[in-house]
Amino acid sequence: MNDLTQCVLTPSVPSEGFSPLGVGVHRASTIVFADAKAYASRLERGHAGYSYGLYGTPTTRTLEAKLSALEGGAWTFLTPSGQGANALAVLPFLSAGDHILIADTAYPPMRDLAETDLRRLGVAVDFFDPLSPEDVAVKMRENTRIVWCESPGSTTMEVLDLPAIAAIAHAGGALVGVDNTWATPLNFKPIAHGADIVTEALTKFVSGHSDVLMGSITVKNEALIYPIRSLIGRMGIGVSPDDASLVLRGFETLGVRLRHSERVALDFARRIEGHPLVDAVLHPALESFPGYGLWKRDFLGSSGVFSVVFCAAAAPHIAAALDALQIFAIGASWGGTRSLAAPMSVDGFRTATSWSGPDIILRLSIGLEDERELWDDIERLLSVLETAQRAA
């Protein structure tokens, strides 16, 4: 064989006996076939087969399988981001003339997708009170195809009665989707509580290091696989096996990271709750939180993310007080090793319910730094707020 040909062709080497703990990174666009017959029948391989890199490699399939097992689902798809997962979870099941119901406290980009793109495509959109299954029942229509939930709700942490909402939706012939990013599959199993579709922003707790973007869609049964897979294929959406390998690496420490963040966040939430400038701490695992009973009934634990509602006199000074932080970083997202603080607007993202507190609240994500130093940082922030409030 000519040297030029040997440069291109790759010899097959035995892999028997090579059993590493880490998952190999399989990069591929083209996947070759043993013969012409195998190529001609490639579509018969189904969703579990390999036919082209866009539809999966052993690296991405490993991550999908791990998620399917933890979620209790039939299959998982990977997407380039968490919001990409939300969008691709609903689009295959909606057509012009259909109707979607969305929790009023859903992730703002999901609201924007519904208000901007779904309406443009002829889909009717309504939002429901996340604390009222009765509101879901009232707003269900004959053409309702999906009831979209997020529990706890984005930023303000409302806990939904998912079994009750799912029963109402299913009675009306609708699918139930749940964004489960706050809890992760370690703290909540939406499929076991009635969901048909579960999305995760793997960007956050699962990857755990703030260096990769990815989302996932897990479906309850095989009937839901083809609509999503075919749309992903038509839109040419895939994820990098290198990124999948980073998520797989972070996944291995999810349990210990999550339990540490859970413990520290709940401790901080209880301590902050008693501060005179604080009107409320929004954390589902706080006994004083309105959704505590549902959280205790359905969830297996809590996460490291919660929000603080300051009194009207202090709230306008949150942005300036953030500059006093030395350990917390100021930034969006959550779930990484670094603790984050982010002022979040609430008022502009409610239509079915009303928000009685100040528009800006503070969301905290607890990372892995020394907890004493983190608490000192929170005290610095509170001290600046106290000084600003007195001066005002």
Side-chain angles (χ1 to χ4, degrees):
M1 189 179 291
N2 186 278
D3 286 354
L4 293 179
T5 302
Q6 289 194 69
C7 284
V8 176
L9 271 60
T10 301
S12 178
V13 298
S15 58
E16 183 180 351
F18 181 75
S19 184
L21 289 172
V23 179
V25 180
H26 296 267
R27 304 181 187 92
S29 54
T30 298
I31 293 169
V32 297
F33 297 82
D35 50 41
K37 181 179 179 181
Y39 178 76
S41 61
R42 65 192 183 281
L43 297 181
E44 298 173 13
R45 295 183 172 190
H47 64 272
Y50 295 109
S51 58
Y52 191 65
L54 183 70
Y55 298 105
T57 72
T59 308
T60 56
R61 290 286 171 81
T62 300
L63 178 54
E64 291 167 351
K66 181 172 281 197
L67 286 160
S68 295
L70 282 170
E71 301 280 14
W75 193 262
T76 295
F77 299 93
L78 301 178
T79 64
S81 69
Q83 175 55 19
N86 292 341
L88 290 165
V90 301
L91 285 171
F93 306 103
L94 293 169
S95 301
D98 288 342
H99 176 240
I100 184 172
L101 264 177
I102 301 175
D104 204 35
T105 50
Y107 183 47
M110 189 60 175
R111 291 184 66 99
D112 194 22
L113 173 79
E115 296 276 28
T116 304
D117 298 293
L118 295 185
R119 288 194 192 279
R120 176 176 54 82
L121 296 172
V123 176
V125 176
D126 277 314
F127 296 90
F128 67 89
D129 181 346
L131 302 181
S132 174
E134 295 78 16
D135 195 36
V136 176
V138 168
K139 292 176 177 175
M140 285 287 293
R141 305 181 190 175
E142 289 185 0
N143 60 338
T144 304
R145 300 289 174 258
I146 297 175
V147 176
W148 186 260
C149 305
E150 182 177 339
S151 186
S154 187
T155 305
T156 44
M157 305 292 164
E158 291 84 353
V159 181
L160 282 66
D161 189 341
L162 184 59
I165 291 172
I168 293 165
H170 291 154
L175 295 171
V176 176
V178 178
D179 183 337
N180 194 45
T181 301
W182 181 88
T184 83
L186 296 191
N187 283 334
F188 189 44
K189 311 283 188 183
I191 289 176
H193 290 83
D196 302 289
I197 303 169
V198 182
T199 62
E200 306 276 357
L202 305 178
T203 304
K204 296 180 170 67
F205 276 117
V206 177
S207 66
H209 291 78
S210 306
D211 58 359
V212 62
L213 291 165
M214 195 172 295
S216 65
I217 308 167
T218 302
V219 295
K220 179 179 181 178
N221 55 54
E222 292 202 357
L224 301 173
I225 294 174
Y226 178 75
I228 297 175
R229 185 182 190 273
S230 57
L231 178 64
I232 286 174
R234 289 193 299 273
M235 298 187 76
I237 293 171
V239 304
S240 160
D242 294 270
D243 286 348
S245 73
L246 288 175
V247 178
L248 281 164
R249 173 179 280 195
F251 218 142
E252 294 188 10
T253 60
L254 172 62
V256 292
R257 288 187 288 104
L258 195 61
R259 292 297 163 244
H260 173 84
S261 295
E262 173 185 34
R263 178 184 62 79
V264 177
L266 189 53
D267 175 49
F268 285 6
R270 287 178 173 140
R271 293 159 76 175
I272 293 170
E273 191 176 27
H275 194 278
L277 293 183
V278 173
D279 275 354
V281 175
L282 309 180
H283 191 309
L286 276 179
E287 292 82 355
S288 59
F289 187 72
Y292 174 77
L294 286 174
W295 172 82
K296 188 73 174 175
R297 185 192 74 183
D298 293 344
F299 284 69
L300 303 170
S302 62
S303 81
V305 179
F306 65 97
S307 298
V308 182
V309 182
F310 289 97
C311 66
H317 307 290
I318 291 174
L322 291 178
D323 291 339
L325 295 172
Q326 298 176 13
I327 307 298
F328 280 86
I330 304 169
S333 197
W334 70 64
T337 59
R338 185 74 183 271
S339 295
L340 297 174
M344 307 296 292
S345 174
V346 180
D347 269 348
F349 304 103
R350 296 287 186 277
T351 52
T353 58
S354 60
W355 172 252
S356 59
D359 177 39
I360 300 298
I361 64 178
L362 183 64
R363 188 180 70 196
L364 298 175
S365 171
I366 303 301
L368 303 183
E369 303 92 341
D370 178 79
E371 57 193 275
R372 177 66 252 179
E373 292 185 336
L374 282 176
W375 181 250
D376 288 345
D377 223 20
I378 289 175
E379 288 190 323
R380 273 188 285 271
L381 180 141
L382 293 172
S383 176
V384 170
L385 281 176
E386 287 174 329
T387 301
Q389 188 258 351
R390 282 196 298 269

